[in-house]
Amino acid sequence: MSEIILGIESSCDDTSAAVIKDGYLLSNVIASQQVHKDYGGVVPELASRAHELNIVPVVSQALSKAGVTADEIDAIAFTRGPGLLGSLIVGTSFAKAMGLALDIPIIMVNHLQGHFLADFIKQPDKENEAPEFPYLCLLVSGGNSQIVRVDDPIHYEILGQTIDDAVGEAFDKCSKMLGLGYPGGPVIDRLAKEGNPDRFKFAKPRIPGYDYSFSGVKTSLLYYVRDEMLRDPQFMEKNKEDICASFQKTLIDILLDKLIKASKDTGINQITIGGGVSANSGLRSRIVEEGKKRGWKTYLPEFKFTTDNAAMIAIAGYFRYKNGERTSLDVAPVSRMSDF
Ligand code: KG4
C-alpha cells in the first residue's frame, strides 16, 4: 500500500510544505520571507507572523501540486526543532491541528536530520544516488556547523560542531560588516568567483578534535579591513573580490581540515554535505576535488534541497513512519539541539 507523507518546515524564515509518496517527491512549496531584508538578519517576531500568514496557502498549494487530497495523507511530519521558537510553534501547532482533524499520526523531525537525509529524496523524473551507511555529513548552515556520522536513517552521532558561530553566520556577519548585504553567503560566493583566494590570509582556529570555531576568522577579517580602510577609504571597494575569495577559502579550509581528519579516523569515505552553506560553489568544488584525491565517494544534494525545505522533513518523517514512530499530540517545539 502507498504511503503519503506531508512534510512541514517552519524553523527559521522559510515556510515550506512538501508531499512525498513512497519516498518520491510530488511537491515542495517554499515561501521565503522577504520582510527581513531591511534588517540584515532574521527578526524572530516578524518570522513567526509571516509563518502564520503563509502556512495555510503553502500547505494547500503543496497538496494541489501533488494532486493529493488531505484525506489521502497517511501522516504529517513536522520540524520540532532546533530553530526559532516562535517559528517552530506555527509549524508544530499546524501539524497537530491537521493531524487531529484528519485523525492521522504526526511525526516530529529534527531539522538537522532532514538536512543530512536530503540525498534520499527521490524524484519521479530523475535518477538519484544516495550514500551508503555509514556516511559522514558536513552539515553547514546559518545555525550549525557539524560533522555527523549517519549510521542509518534514524541513528546518527555528531562527531564535532562549532563552539561559537556557525559558518553561515560567519558569511552573513562578514557580509554585513563589509556592506555587501544579507544573506551574505550567496553574495560572497558570487564575488569570490572573480577574486584571488590567495591574496589575503586570515587567522585559522586551533581547536582539538572535530569541533569548529569561526569567531576568530571573523574578527581577523574585521580588524584587517578596518586597519586598511584607515589608510585607504577605498580599500574595500577596490579589493572586495579578493577579500571575499580569500575569506571564503579560509572558511572552506577550516571546514575541510576537520572533515578530512574525521574521514581518516573513522575510515568512512562516503561523504555528503547539507545545509544552506552547502550551496557554496567553492565548497562544492573543493569537496569533489578532495574526494578525487582521497578516494571519497561524494554526494552533493541539488541546490533546492540544500536550504530549508519541507521535502527533507517529509523524507526524514517517512523513514520514521516506516520505523513505527508516532508523536504524541502534546509535543512541544524545542529551540536548541541539546534539548532534542
Ligand atoms: O540551512 P539554511 O537555509 O538555514 C539556516 O540555517 O538558517 O542556511 C542559511 C545560510 C545563510 O547563512 C546563508 O548565508 C548561507 O546559508 N548560504 C550560503 C550560500 N547560500 C546560502 N553560504 C555560502 N555560499 C552560498 N552560496
Side-chain angles (χ1 to χ4, degrees), residues 12-14 111 115 140-144 168-169 171-172 183-186 189 248 275-277 279-281 306-308:
C12 189
D13 59 340
D14 293 303
H111 178 80
H115 276 303
V140 278
S141 70
N144 295 279
E169 240 177 316
F171 272 108
D172 293 339
D189 191 359
Q248 179 171 297
V277 179
N280 185 269
S281 55
T306 56
T307 45
D308 289 350

Side-chain angles (χ1 to χ4, degrees), residues 152-190:
D152 62 43
I154 312 291
H155 302 97
Y156 61 91
E157 189 188 342
I158 296 168
L159 301 182
Q161 58 191 322
T162 182
I163 57 166
D164 42 51
D165 287 349
V167 64
E169 240 177 316
F171 272 108
D172 293 339
K173 286 182 181 169
C174 288
S175 171
K176 190 174 175 186
M177 202 164 78
L178 299 171
L180 299 173
Y182 171 86
V187 190
I188 292 181
D189 191 359
R190 181 169 47 77

Side-chain angles (χ1 to χ4, degrees), residues 248-291:
Q248 179 171 297
K249 178 171 185 279
T250 311
L251 296 182
I252 295 173
D253 284 348
I254 297 171
L255 290 172
L256 263 293
D257 283 354
K258 294 293 171 93
L259 184 62
I260 291 166
K261 179 175 162 49
S263 167
K264 273 190 189 152
D265 294 351
T266 59
I268 297 174
N269 64 359
Q270 299 271 315
I271 309 286
T272 73
I273 52 175
V277 179
S278 68
N280 185 269
S281 55
L283 177 61
R284 285 182 165 245
S285 47
R286 180 72 186 282
I287 293 255
V288 171
E289 188 188 308
E290 291 291 342

